[in-house]
Amino acid sequence: MKKPSPWQIQVYTVSALTSQIRQSINSQFKDILVQGEISNFKLYPSGHLYFTLKDDNATIRAIVFNFWDKFPESMIEDGTAVICKGRVDVYEKRGEYRLLIDAIEVQGLGLLQLKFQKLKEKLLKEGLFDAGRKKPLPLLPQVVGIVTSPAGAAIRDMLKVIYGKYENMSVLIYPAKVQGDDACYEIAEGIDYFSRTKEVDVIIIGRGGGSLEDLAPFNEEVVARAIYASEIPVVSAVGHEVDFTIADFAADVRAPTPTAAADIVVRNKAEFLDAILDKEKKLEKGIKNILEKSRFLLYQGSMELKERKRLFTDYRMYLDELLNNMMHGFSVYSRDKRVQLEALSQRISDLNPDNILRRGYSITIKKDTKDVIASAEQVVKGDELLVKLYKGETECTVTDKRL
């Protein structure tokens, strides 16, 4: 029996062979991790990233579609050691196999985490997390605004807590996606809406827990800036207690869970009623104390007024007595002192210089010094003198003197 000719075996076209290889590779290498070093890093205007993943012995071409929307560019460059998650595909036109990447980790740290750290440092330097700019929550909000998914468990938990504490509290819900590529924009729009319309007194943004990828919308810059720009206090309630997001740092208050956020924002109505009743009792007691004190002071003032009136009467009597005694003393004093006064007046008259001059006496004065001359020793020959008489004056010159 003759062996079959090799030309009788099935013949593949290039396209058919490439297609079959592609199907085989796709089915076998559809969800794998590949470790290597990046080289020939090139980011195209389309946002797709092309590079070569290599180790010491081999290379493979790799592609990340829509890289700009997924990862921070600055985290990857030539020479970066990475672990890539993806699948192997065949580019049929060239007969090349390549690695289509969905996720990348740099030196064991995921790019989403690196993106988180980079954005956190950036916004921290800009002051978006400063404690001094955080707004206080209202003591009793009239309306609570919530930005979240209306279909999630988080909104049900929050409403249960709010209405359980304050059954007639007004709540407005801004429906927004809390997961996916566009979720961050819807969350930011909800914050902006409430801040602009002033329809609420406090805003809660939140969702339940999840992976870092699930919480990614709350780690976006657009959400952080919307929180920072809001004129209404914002409470961030994202994930479980161990999860922190950029929104948590930017918010005025961070709650560990959506339930906790509702508990923080809304106080128990019964507590307010008890507080009002307590204040009412304290006010009533205070008024009673003031009235009692006023009565005491009024009585005391009345007694003091009576005492002062009595003292005033006593003083009037004492003053009358003093005046009477003074007038009597003055009368006696005047009879005794009249004789002495007349004698003193006569003495003054006798010593009056004019009366002395009237009797023929004179006063001699040295003209240059104005000294009164009482002795010849006070003058010398040639001194000019002024002689004051009872009527008029004469001038003379010393021609001689005798002692």
Side-chain angles (χ1 to χ4, degrees), residues 280-324:
E280 183 180 355
K281 290 180 179 178
K282 289 181 178 179
L283 181 61
E284 182 179 355
K285 183 178 179 180
I287 292 174
K288 288 182 178 179
N289 290 337
I290 292 173
L291 289 176
E292 290 297 327
K293 186 175 181 180
S294 298
R295 290 192 187 100
F296 174 76
L297 292 175
L298 182 62
Y299 172 78
Q300 187 180 42
S302 176
M303 295 302 295
E304 289 180 355
L305 183 60
K306 291 180 180 179
E307 181 66 19
R308 289 177 182 177
K309 185 176 181 180
R310 185 185 66 79
L311 290 174
F312 178 72
T313 302
D314 292 344
Y315 280 128
R316 285 187 61 186
M317 294 172 63
Y318 179 64
L319 181 60
D320 289 341
E321 184 178 353
L322 286 177
L323 288 173
N324 183 55

Side-chain angles (χ1 to χ4, degrees), residues 142-148 155 159 162-163 169-175 193-194 197-204:
Q142 300 299 308
V143 184
V144 176
I146 302 178
V147 180
T148 191
I155 186 61
L159 292 178
I162 291 173
Y163 292 133
M169 176 63 66
S170 297
V171 179
L172 295 181
I173 300 173
Y174 189 97
Y193 172 80
F194 283 138
T197 60
K198 306 293 189 300
E199 295 178 341
V200 301
D201 302 300
V202 62
I203 303 170
I204 301 175

Side-chain angles (χ1 to χ4, degrees), residues 18 21-22 25 60-61 63 88-99:
T18 303
I21 292 173
R22 181 182 186 185
I25 290 176
I60 182 174
R61 297 197 66 185
I63 303 174
V88 179
D89 193 17
V90 175
Y91 185 36
E92 295 184 19
K93 288 187 177 182
R94 296 184 180 177
E96 299 175 349
Y97 69 91
R98 56 195 180 179
L99 184 63

Side-chain angles (χ1 to χ4, degrees), residues 291-391:
L291 289 176
E292 290 297 327
K293 186 175 181 180
S294 298
R295 290 192 187 100
F296 174 76
L297 292 175
L298 182 62
Y299 172 78
Q300 187 180 42
S302 176
M303 295 302 295
E304 289 180 355
L305 183 60
K306 291 180 180 179
E307 181 66 19
R308 289 177 182 177
K309 185 176 181 180
R310 185 185 66 79
L311 290 174
F312 178 72
T313 302
D314 292 344
Y315 280 128
R316 285 187 61 186
M317 294 172 63
Y318 179 64
L319 181 60
D320 289 341
E321 184 178 353
L322 286 177
L323 288 173
N324 183 55
N325 292 337
M326 185 180 69
M327 294 301 296
H328 177 71
F330 181 75
S331 176
V332 174
Y333 177 83
S334 298
R335 286 192 301 267
D336 293 340
K337 294 298 182 179
R338 184 175 292 114
V339 175
Q340 297 180 15
L341 181 60
E342 291 176 353
L344 182 61
S345 297
Q346 183 60 46
R347 178 65 174 162
I348 292 173
S349 178
D350 292 341
L351 295 176
N352 189 332
D354 288 340
N355 292 334
I356 295 173
L357 294 177
R358 186 192 296 272
R359 295 198 296 270
Y361 294 95
S362 64
I363 301 173
T364 304
I365 301 171
K366 196 173 183 178
K367 192 174 181 180
D368 56 350
T369 63
K370 305 301 182 183
D371 294 334
V372 176
I373 306 301
S375 172
E377 294 178 346
Q378 293 180 251
V379 299
V380 295
K381 188 177 180 180
D383 284 346
E384 293 183 354
L385 304 178
L386 180 65
V387 180
K388 182 175 177 63
L389 305 173
Y390 174 68
K391 290 185 178 180

Side-chain angles (χ1 to χ4, degrees), residues 128-129 133-134 205 227 234-236 246-254:
L128 267 69
F129 306 155
R133 55 149 293 273
K134 295 185 181 296
I205 60 170
I227 294 173
V234 178
V235 178
S236 176
I246 295 296
D248 291 332
F249 294 113
D252 297 294
V253 174
R254 185 253 179 186

